[in-house]
Amino acid sequence: MGLKYIWYGHGTSGLETGGYKVLIDPYFTDNPAASAHADEVEADFIVVSHGHGDHIADAVAIAGRTGALVISNFEIVNWLTAQGVEKTHPQHIGGGFKHPFGYLKLTQALHGSGLPDGSYGGNPAGILLTTNAGEKVYLACDTGLFPGMTLIGEEGIDLAVLPIGDNFTMGPDDALRAVKMIQPKHVIPVHYNTWPPIEQDPHAWAARVEAETSTQAHVLKPGESFSL
Ligand code: NI
Ligand code: MN
């Protein structure tokens, strides 16, 4: 065990496992909730869940500075390659691949994926990582509630990272239903309080989770981390 999850604010996360740093949905510049700068964050790998600017904005710059390999869907990888990103690995929904840091599978997400310049970004995804030590982490990324979360839960999830902001993604009520479907050991809420339309009380949500499920809810401030 020893997986470390870092919340950088909004939908931007980091995972540290087996000595590797995996950065997910890098959005620092112009992110009102960001806890770090794009020019200082470290990454060996970058995963992009979908094409929206609040998830991909700093991917090209950070990949260029760090030399990180970028993992995303086929369409986004093609777009990143055209932007000058040199090291990429395309996957697609339902497909997993054994990377050095673990087995990463892209899952269904109910959302959009248009890229910042209007290019087609394929279908949005969630991320299911099985580390080399066997821990399972599910980042739903931007999504509405969908029945397949029950299937994801059947994998035995140690940590789920779920959006609770409402408006663009699941809100608190549906995110609570998601916890009941996934039944993770631990859950962390994200994608809230960045802007007024997604203002939520994460502590109230965490209290509901712990009252109605056996999952432990952890509310982080941007920049804080949680370790399994
Ligand atoms: Ni989005
Ligand atoms: Mn988003």
Side-chain angles (χ1 to χ4, degrees):
M1 305 300 267
L3 178 106
K4 182 179 180 184
Y5 169 87
I6 306 135
W7 188 42
Y8 290 111
H10 193 56
T12 303
S13 302
L15 291 172
E16 294 181 13
T17 176
Y20 295 101
K21 289 182 163 65
V22 183
L23 179 62
I24 296 157
D25 286 352
Y27 173 52
F28 299 95
T29 311
D30 300 329
N31 175 356
S35 64
H37 292 286
D39 58 7
E40 67 185 10
V41 69
E42 297 175 45
D44 302 303
F45 297 86
I46 298 170
V47 187
V48 177
S49 67
H50 66 291
H52 291 165
D54 61 318
H55 296 257
I56 201 172
D58 293 308
V60 173
I62 295 173
R65 178 176 55 78
T66 62
L69 179 142
V70 187
I71 301 159
S72 191
N73 74 31
F74 179 77
E75 291 84 357
I76 290 173
V77 159
N78 284 345
W79 185 83
L80 289 167
T81 301
Q83 309 294 312
V85 175
E86 292 180 359
K87 291 164 61 184
T88 57
H89 181 101
Q91 294 187 208
H92 233 303
I93 292 165
F97 185 81
K98 180 78 177 65
H99 295 279
F101 58 89
Y103 182 80
L104 185 143
K105 185 157 74 173
L106 294 183
T107 67
Q108 176 186 14
L110 293 183
H111 197 65
S113 188
L115 286 153
D117 63 1
S119 296
Y120 176 63
N123 288 311
I127 297 160
L128 179 59
L129 173 66
T130 307
T131 68
N132 295 329
E135 301 125 329
K136 285 195 186 270
V137 186
Y138 169 55
L139 295 98
C141 304
D142 284 15
T143 187
L145 186 70
F146 59 89
M149 286 183 178
T150 301
L151 296 179
I152 293 167
E154 288 174 3
E155 299 245 3
I157 304 299
D158 294 296
L159 171 63
V161 179
L162 304 179
I164 67 161
D166 220 344
N167 195 71
F168 298 115
T169 67
M170 292 190 288
D173 292 347
D174 279 353
L176 178 58
R177 294 169 72 191
V179 172
K180 292 175 180 175
M181 294 163 75
I182 300 162
Q183 300 180 23
K185 290 195 181 85
H186 304 273
V187 68
I188 293 172
V190 298
H191 213 278
Y192 64 89
N193 289 358
T194 317
W195 306 289
I198 58 173
E199 277 178 8
Q200 301 295 342
D201 180 347
H203 296 283
W205 183 78
R208 290 174 69 194
V209 168
E210 299 209 337
E212 296 185 35
T213 76
S214 54
T215 297
Q216 294 180 40
H218 308 275
V219 176
L220 303 182
K221 294 188 179 73
E224 289 185 341
S225 62
F226 169 78
S227 293
L228 281 176

